[in-house]
Amino acid sequence: MSLKGKKIGFGITGSHCTYEEVFPQIEKLVELGAEVVPVASYTVQTTDTKFGKAKDHMEKIKKLTGRDPITTIVDAEPLGPQEPLDCMVLAPLTGNSMSRLANAISDSPVLMATKATMRNGNPIVLAISTNDALGLNGVNLMRLMSTKLMYFVPYGQDDPIKKPNSLVADMTLIPKTIEHALEFKQLQPVIIERK
C-alpha cells in the first residue's frame, strides 16, 4: 500500500536515546508522500538530556514535517472528529506512555491524539523503546498486543546481558508497519533479533 496522501500522526515520547533512529523515519514518511502530523509529549517539549536539548528536538521535528508539533491535549483532541488521521504512530513509545495507554489514561498530547484516532476506528502503530518491557511493564505490553487497532513495529532485546528487561523496536520498519496497519494487518514477525 502506498503512503502517498495518507495523514499520519506521529507521536514522540521521551526515549531520548532513540531519536536518532526515529527522526530519519519521519523524513522517510514525508519522502513517501505522507502528510505527517507531529505530536510531542511534555517530556519531549521540556527535557534537555545528553542526547540533546528539547528546543533543538522540537525544531528538528518542525523542519522534518513542515509543521509545528501539537503540544497540548486541547490541540490534539480535534484529531478525532474534525481532522481525522489515517493512522497514529507512537515512536519512540516509552514504558511510561505505554503503561498509561494500556490503562486508558490520556494525560498527554500524544495519548490524546492516540485516543482520538482509536475513536475513529483507525490503526495505531507502536514502536516501543523501554528498559522495562520484560519487567513490570510486561503486562501492559501484552495488554496492548491483544488490543484491537494496535500494531507493533517489530521489536527485540537491545542488550540482553546488561539490560535483560529492555525491548526496542527496529525503527527502520516503521513505514512498512504503517503500510500493513492501514490494511489492519500486523507486520510479521513481531519479535525479532536486534543486532
Side-chain angles (χ1 to χ4, degrees):
M1 167 178 277
S2 171
L3 297 181
K4 188 170 184 177
K6 297 295 183 185
K7 191 171 185 178
I8 308 295
F10 206 104
I12 303 162
T13 69
S15 180
H16 300 88
C17 61
T18 317
Y19 294 166
E20 67 181 30
E21 295 177 43
V22 170
F23 289 161
Q25 301 315 309
I26 296 174
E27 185 173 23
K28 185 170 185 180
L29 292 174
V30 171
E31 289 171 0
L32 291 170
E35 177 187 354
V36 178
V37 179
V39 187
S41 74
Y42 299 127
T43 300
V44 174
Q45 297 173 45
T46 61
T47 306
D48 296 337
T49 72
K50 65 181 179 180
F51 300 103
K53 296 189 178 300
K55 178 176 168 270
D56 295 335
H57 293 314
M58 294 294 285
E59 287 176 5
K60 174 96 174 182
I61 294 164
K62 180 178 180 179
K63 182 179 178 185
L64 290 172
T65 63
R67 297 176 66 137
D68 285 316
I70 292 172
T71 57
T72 68
I73 291 172
V74 171
D75 289 339
E77 197 276 337
L79 296 176
Q82 297 164 3
E83 302 171 43
L85 301 169
D86 293 302
C87 179
M88 179 69 194
V89 178
L90 286 77
L93 176 63
T94 61
N96 188 357
S97 290
M98 180 171 67
S99 68
R100 293 184 349 242
L101 177 59
N103 289 283
I105 299 169
S106 51
D107 61 353
S108 78
V110 171
L111 295 173
M112 178 55 75
T114 303
K115 179 181 176 183
T117 304
M118 290 172 67
R119 180 172 70 178
N120 290 335
N122 290 334
I124 310 298
V125 168
L126 306 176
I128 62 173
S129 179
T130 172
N131 289 324
D132 191 38
L134 296 176
L136 285 175
N137 240 326
V139 67
N140 296 313
L141 174 61
M142 290 302 109
R143 179 176 286 163
L144 291 173
M145 288 198 74
S146 65
T147 300
K148 185 178 177 184
L149 300 177
M150 300 288 172
Y151 301 93
F152 281 80
V153 177
Y155 59 81
Q157 289 180 285
D158 57 311
D159 189 345
I161 304 304
K162 293 180 183 172
K163 301 189 301 180
N165 288 342
S166 180
L167 293 175
V168 178
D170 179 347
M171 301 302 170
T172 64
L173 295 175
I174 288 173
K176 195 170 184 182
T177 305
I178 295 170
E179 290 175 3
H180 279 69
L182 287 168
E183 296 179 347
F184 300 99
K185 296 177 183 174
Q186 172 62 57
L187 180 63
Q188 297 289 347
V190 180
I191 300 172
I192 59 171
E193 182 177 359
R194 280 185 53 99
K195 298 193 175 22

